[in-house]
Coordinates of all heavy atoms in Angstrom, one line a residue:
T9 N 33.9 -32.4 64.2 CA 32.9 -32.2 63.2 C 32.9 -30.7 62.9 O 32.8 -29.9 63.8 CB 31.5 -32.6 63.7 OG1 31.6 -34.0 64.1 CG2 30.5 -32.5 62.7
V10 N 32.9 -30.4 61.6 CA 32.6 -29.0 61.2 C 31.4 -29.0 60.2 O 31.1 -30.1 59.7 CB 33.8 -28.3 60.5 CG1 34.9 -28.1 61.5 CG2 34.3 -29.1 59.3
G11 N 30.9 -27.9 59.9 CA 29.8 -27.9 58.8 C 28.4 -27.8 59.4 O 28.2 -27.3 60.5
C12 N 27.5 -28.2 58.6 CA 26.1 -28.0 58.9 C 25.5 -29.1 59.8 O 26.2 -30.1 60.2 CB 25.3 -27.9 57.6 SG 25.3 -29.4 56.7
Q13 N 24.2 -29.0 60.1 CA 23.5 -30.0 60.9 C 23.6 -31.4 60.3 O 23.6 -32.4 61.1 CB 22.0 -29.6 61.1 CG 21.8 -28.4 61.9 CD 21.4 -27.3 61.0 OE1 21.9 -27.1 59.8 NE2 20.5 -26.4 61.4
M14 N 23.6 -31.5 59.0 CA 23.8 -32.8 58.4 C 25.0 -33.5 58.9 O 25.0 -34.7 59.1 CB 23.9 -32.6 56.8 CG 22.6 -32.3 56.1 SD 21.6 -33.8 56.1 CE 20.2 -33.1 55.2
N15 N 26.1 -32.7 59.0 CA 27.3 -33.3 59.5 C 27.3 -33.7 60.9 O 27.8 -34.7 61.3 CB 28.5 -32.3 59.3 CG 29.2 -32.6 58.0 OD1 28.7 -33.3 57.1 ND2 30.4 -32.0 57.8
V16 N 26.6 -32.9 61.7 CA 26.4 -33.2 63.1 C 25.7 -34.6 63.3 O 26.1 -35.5 64.0 CB 25.6 -32.1 63.9 CG1 25.3 -32.5 65.3 CG2 26.4 -30.8 63.8
D18 N 25.5 -36.9 60.9 CA 26.3 -38.0 60.3 C 27.3 -38.4 61.4 O 27.6 -39.6 61.5 CB 27.1 -37.5 59.1 CG 26.1 -37.4 57.9 OD1 25.1 -38.1 57.9 OD2 26.5 -36.7 56.9
N46 N 35.0 -35.0 60.4 CA 33.9 -34.9 59.5 C 33.8 -33.5 58.9 O 33.6 -32.6 59.7 CB 32.6 -35.3 60.2 CG 31.5 -35.6 59.2 OD1 31.7 -35.6 58.0 ND2 30.3 -35.8 59.8
T47 N 34.1 -33.4 57.6 CA 34.5 -32.1 57.0 C 33.4 -31.4 56.2 O 32.4 -32.0 55.8 CB 35.7 -32.4 56.1 OG1 35.2 -33.3 55.1 CG2 36.8 -33.0 56.9
C48 N 33.7 -30.1 55.9 CA 32.8 -29.3 55.2 C 33.6 -28.5 54.1 O 34.7 -28.1 54.4 CB 32.1 -28.3 56.1 SG 31.2 -27.0 55.4
S49 N 33.0 -28.3 52.9 CA 33.7 -27.6 51.9 C 33.0 -26.4 51.4 O 33.3 -25.8 50.4 CB 33.7 -28.6 50.6 OG 34.7 -29.6 50.9
V50 N 32.0 -25.9 52.2 CA 31.1 -24.8 51.7 C 31.9 -23.5 51.5 O 31.6 -22.8 50.6 CB 29.9 -24.7 52.6 CG1 30.1 -23.9 53.8 CG2 28.7 -24.2 51.8
R51 N 32.9 -23.3 52.4 CA 33.8 -22.2 52.3 C 35.2 -22.6 52.5 O 35.4 -23.6 53.2 CB 33.4 -21.1 53.3 CG 32.2 -20.3 52.9 CD 31.7 -19.4 54.1 NE 31.1 -20.2 55.1 CZ 29.9 -20.7 55.1 NH1 29.0 -20.4 54.2 NH2 29.5 -21.5 56.1
A54 N 36.5 -23.4 56.1 CA 36.2 -24.7 56.7 C 37.2 -25.8 56.3 O 37.6 -26.6 57.1 CB 34.8 -25.1 56.3
E55 N 37.7 -25.7 55.0 CA 38.7 -26.7 54.6 C 40.1 -26.4 55.2 O 40.8 -27.3 55.6 CB 38.8 -26.7 53.1 CG 37.6 -27.2 52.4 CD 37.7 -27.3 50.9 OE1 38.7 -26.7 50.3 OE2 36.9 -27.9 50.2
G81 N 33.0 -36.9 55.0 CA 32.1 -35.8 54.7 C 32.4 -35.1 53.3 O 33.1 -35.7 52.4
C82 N 32.0 -33.9 53.2 CA 32.0 -33.2 52.0 C 33.3 -32.9 51.4 O 33.5 -33.0 50.1 CB 31.2 -31.8 52.1 SG 29.4 -32.1 52.4
M83 N 34.3 -32.6 52.2 CA 35.7 -32.4 51.7 C 36.3 -33.7 51.1 O 37.0 -33.7 50.1 CB 36.6 -31.9 52.8 CG 37.8 -31.2 52.3 SD 38.7 -30.5 53.7 CE 40.0 -31.8 53.9
K86 N 34.7 -34.0 47.7 CA 35.2 -32.9 46.8 C 36.6 -33.1 46.4 O 37.0 -33.1 45.2 CB 34.9 -31.5 47.4 CG 35.5 -30.4 46.6 CD 35.1 -29.0 47.2 CE 36.0 -27.9 46.8 NZ 37.3 -28.0 47.5
P104 N 30.1 -38.3 52.1 CA 28.9 -38.4 52.9 C 27.9 -39.5 52.4 O 27.0 -39.9 53.2 CB 28.3 -37.0 52.8 CG 29.0 -36.3 51.7 CD 30.3 -37.0 51.4
G168 N 20.9 -34.6 49.6 CA 21.3 -34.0 48.3 C 20.6 -32.7 48.0 O 19.9 -32.1 48.8
C176 N 27.8 -22.8 45.0 CA 27.7 -23.8 46.0 C 28.2 -25.2 45.7 O 27.9 -25.8 44.6 CB 26.2 -23.9 46.4 SG 25.9 -25.0 47.8
V177 N 28.9 -25.8 46.6 CA 29.5 -27.2 46.4 C 28.5 -28.3 46.7 O 28.7 -29.5 46.3 CB 30.8 -27.5 47.2 CG1 31.9 -26.6 46.7 CG2 30.5 -27.3 48.7
V178 N 27.4 -27.9 47.5 CA 26.6 -29.0 48.1 C 26.0 -30.0 47.0 O 26.0 -31.2 47.3 CB 25.5 -28.4 49.0 CG1 24.5 -29.4 49.5 CG2 26.2 -27.7 50.2
P179 N 25.5 -29.5 45.9 CA 24.9 -30.5 44.9 C 25.9 -31.5 44.5 O 25.6 -32.7 44.2 CB 24.4 -29.6 43.8 CG 24.1 -28.3 44.4 CD 25.2 -28.1 45.4
T181 N 28.8 -32.4 46.4 CA 29.3 -33.2 47.5 C 28.2 -34.1 48.1 O 28.5 -35.2 48.7 CB 29.9 -32.3 48.7 OG1 28.8 -31.5 49.2 CG2 31.0 -31.5 48.2
R182 N 26.9 -33.7 48.1 CA 25.9 -34.4 48.7 C 25.0 -35.1 47.7 O 24.0 -35.8 48.0 CB 25.0 -33.5 49.6 CG 25.7 -33.0 50.8 CD 25.5 -33.9 52.0 NE 26.4 -33.5 53.1 CZ 26.5 -34.1 54.2 NH1 25.7 -35.1 54.5 NH2 27.3 -33.7 55.2
Q213 N 18.5 -30.0 52.6 CA 19.2 -28.8 52.1 C 18.1 -27.8 51.6 O 18.3 -26.6 51.7 CB 20.1 -29.1 50.9 CG 21.4 -29.9 51.3 CD 22.2 -29.2 52.4 OE1 22.1 -28.0 52.5 NE2 23.1 -30.0 53.0
R353 N 34.6 -21.5 45.1 CA 34.8 -22.9 45.3 C 35.1 -23.6 44.0 O 34.2 -23.6 43.1 CB 33.6 -23.6 46.0 CG 33.1 -22.9 47.3 CD 33.8 -23.2 48.6 NE 35.3 -23.0 48.5 CZ 36.2 -23.8 49.0 NH1 35.8 -24.9 49.6 NH2 37.4 -23.6 48.9
P497 N 23.9 -23.9 62.0 CA 24.1 -24.8 60.8 C 25.5 -24.5 60.2 O 26.0 -25.4 59.5 CB 23.1 -24.3 59.8 CG 22.6 -23.0 60.3 CD 22.8 -23.0 61.8
K498 N 26.1 -23.4 60.5 CA 27.4 -23.1 59.8 C 28.2 -22.2 60.7 O 27.7 -21.4 61.4 CB 27.0 -22.4 58.5 CG 25.8 -21.6 58.6 CD 24.8 -22.0 57.6 CE 23.4 -21.6 58.1 NZ 22.3 -21.8 57.2
E499 N 29.5 -22.4 60.6 CA 30.3 -21.4 61.2 C 30.3 -20.3 60.3 O 29.9 -20.3 59.2 CB 31.8 -22.0 61.5 CG 32.3 -23.0 60.6 CD 32.6 -22.5 59.2 OE1 33.4 -21.5 59.1 OE2 32.1 -23.0 58.2
Ligands
F3S603 FE1 29.3 -28.1 54.5 FE2 28.6 -30.3 53.3 FE3 27.0 -29.2 55.1 S1 29.7 -28.6 52.4 S2 27.5 -27.0 54.9 S3 28.9 -30.1 55.5 S4 26.4 -30.2 53.2

Side-chain angles (χ1 to χ4, degrees):
T9 306
V10 292
C12 62
Q13 293 105 324
M14 283 287 181
N15 265 15
V16 175
D18 284 340
N46 195 5
T47 61
C48 171
S49 287
V50 83
R51 283 168 290 277
E55 290 184 347
C82 289
M83 197 177 104
K86 175 173 157 284
C176 185
V177 293
V178 173
T181 61
R182 293 269 169 182
Q213 294 299 343
R353 310 279 52 224
K498 33 240 154 173
E499 32 68 59

